[in-house]
Amino acid sequence: MSSWVRVVVGALAAATVTATVACAPASLPVDVGPAPTSSASQAPLQVDGTSGAPPTLDYQKPFDVVRTGSETVWPGTGDVLERDDPVLLNLYAQDGRDGTELQNTFRTAPAAYTMTEESLGNNLFEALEGVRVGARISLVEEDDGVPVLLVVDVLPARASGVEGGAPAKSLPQVRLDDLGVPEVRIPRGVEPPTELVVHPLIRGSGQQVRAGQIVTAEFTAVRWSDGSVVDTTWTEDTPPQSAEIGIGRLVEGWDQGLLEQTVGSQVLLVVPPQDGHANTTSRLAGETLVYVVDILDAHKVDPHEPDPPKVGTEQETTKKEG
């Protein structure tokens, strides 16, 4: 089981975090080929709403897609998306015939892609070229005769904000490579702390994390005892992980340490056994774990959404932790 998920003896299924691995929607984005050649004007689509919440779409139904195209609802202020970059998106789509909802990641968790045509589809890739993180884009296209009205929010794929300062020399030190991947160095000859340590390395400017929200994060977990990496999302084809926080489904160190941190932050957590996997069947039960967590998104759980799939399997655990 992933090193951030607490598993209680005799209650494996109940204690496994109910979480959503950000993944591509089943039917979106769509790639419908070249745009129609008609010179007729496209009917207007009005997109309203605020960042972090599903948009409201106003248009005449049924919507007739004269030509595939995209519009910027608002521009972003973050990094420009570049080819082969990891991309994290919130997607909201309607069937333009009657307004039926086709996709809504605002209810569950953002979806992870790579900035390529293969990952996004030609139309969405073209719509996102040159766009900055923080933007909201609308896209109209047709899929097998169905007019698809898609709104996309571009989320950060790594922490960004104000530097929080280096940890004390008695604590692990963190270096980031050009892609934001953390390298954790455990101080030599130093006993691990016996209480939870929370140190913001980067302070993001987003909303504060609240109990009961779904948090989406990139993270690396390292043993204090030998400095080995036991779990990480910073590997190829491993998306950020998403789960409800502050309700006992994650290790206590996460439930305590990430609450009231802000979205966009990178947080160093030093989690002693009693706040980690003590009294569980995990092979990490006696370990002090060091986490570096990039908080990419946090939003309220939709009570009407079905439970998302569980994170991880024993096979995946073996691969990640050992």
Side-chain angles (χ1 to χ4, degrees), residues 12-322:
L12 178 62
T16 301
V17 59
T18 302
T20 301
V21 178
C23 59
S27 59
L28 295 172
V30 295
D31 180 7
V32 296
T37 57
S38 171
S39 60
S41 298
Q42 178 64 67
L45 168 65
Q46 180 67 37
V47 180
D48 296 312
T50 59
S51 179
T56 300
L57 307 187
D58 185 16
Y59 55 92
Q60 184 174 352
K61 301 178 183 69
F63 189 88
D64 181 25
V65 178
V66 176
R67 61 174 62 84
T68 296
S70 63
E71 297 286 343
T72 299
V73 180
W74 62 65
T77 58
D79 294 337
V80 176
L81 299 182
E82 298 183 0
R83 178 174 287 275
D84 297 324
D85 279 351
V87 182
L88 191 65
L89 304 176
N90 264 326
L91 302 162
Y92 180 84
Q94 285 186 6
D95 181 336
R97 296 173 298 181
D98 56 10
T100 299
E101 186 178 289
L102 299 175
Q103 179 72 26
N104 187 354
T105 66
F106 293 89
R107 289 184 176 180
T108 52
Y113 299 93
T114 302
M115 189 61 185
T116 63
E117 295 91 338
E118 293 77 14
S119 179
L120 293 165
N122 291 337
N123 294 330
L124 185 52
F125 174 82
E126 291 176 4
L128 293 177
E129 276 191 301
V131 168
R132 292 183 178 273
V133 171
R136 171 170 282 185
I137 305 296
S138 66
L139 178 68
V140 298
E141 52 192 351
E142 194 168 46
D143 183 22
D144 291 334
V146 177
V148 177
L149 311 181
L150 174 65
V151 178
V152 180
D153 282 7
V154 183
L155 305 180
R158 58 182 288 186
S160 62
V162 178
E163 296 289 336
K169 292 183 178 180
S170 60
L171 293 175
Q173 304 298 304
V174 179
R175 290 185 179 181
L176 305 179
D177 69 12
D178 292 341
L179 298 177
V181 180
E183 176 189 355
V184 180
R185 296 185 177 183
I186 306 298
R188 293 183 179 179
V190 177
E191 291 296 314
T194 58
E195 301 294 332
L196 175 67
V197 174
V198 181
H199 182 89
L201 300 169
I202 298 173
R203 298 181 186 274
S205 59
Q207 64 169 314
Q208 285 187 313
V209 175
R210 303 294 186 188
Q213 288 183 322
I214 295 177
V215 170
T216 300
E218 295 272 20
F219 72 93
T220 289
V222 172
R223 283 189 183 93
W224 184 289
S225 59
D226 60 9
S228 63
V229 175
V230 298
D231 204 357
T232 183
T233 60
W234 290 101
T235 57
E236 188 175 0
D237 299 326
T238 302
Q241 302 289 290
S242 300
E244 290 179 75
I245 195 166
I247 60 172
R249 294 186 175 182
L250 303 179
V251 295
E252 189 66 20
W254 277 58
D255 276 351
Q256 289 186 20
L258 296 186
L259 291 183
E260 299 186 1
Q261 302 293 332
T262 52
V263 173
S265 295
Q266 183 179 81
V267 184
L268 173 70
L269 301 174
V270 182
V271 180
Q274 71 270 17
D275 293 323
H277 293 275
N279 302 317
T280 75
T281 58
S282 171
R283 64 190 181 86
L284 301 174
E287 296 282 353
T288 294
L289 297 177
V290 179
Y291 294 90
V292 179
V293 184
D294 286 23
I295 305 173
L296 306 180
D297 184 60
H299 64 266
K300 293 181 181 179
V301 178
D302 187 333
H304 302 296
E305 186 71 14
D307 285 343
K310 291 176 170 52
V311 167
T313 64
E314 290 301 317
Q315 182 177 4
E316 290 170 341
T317 300
T318 301
K319 180 176 64 176
K320 284 191 173 184
E321 294 187 352

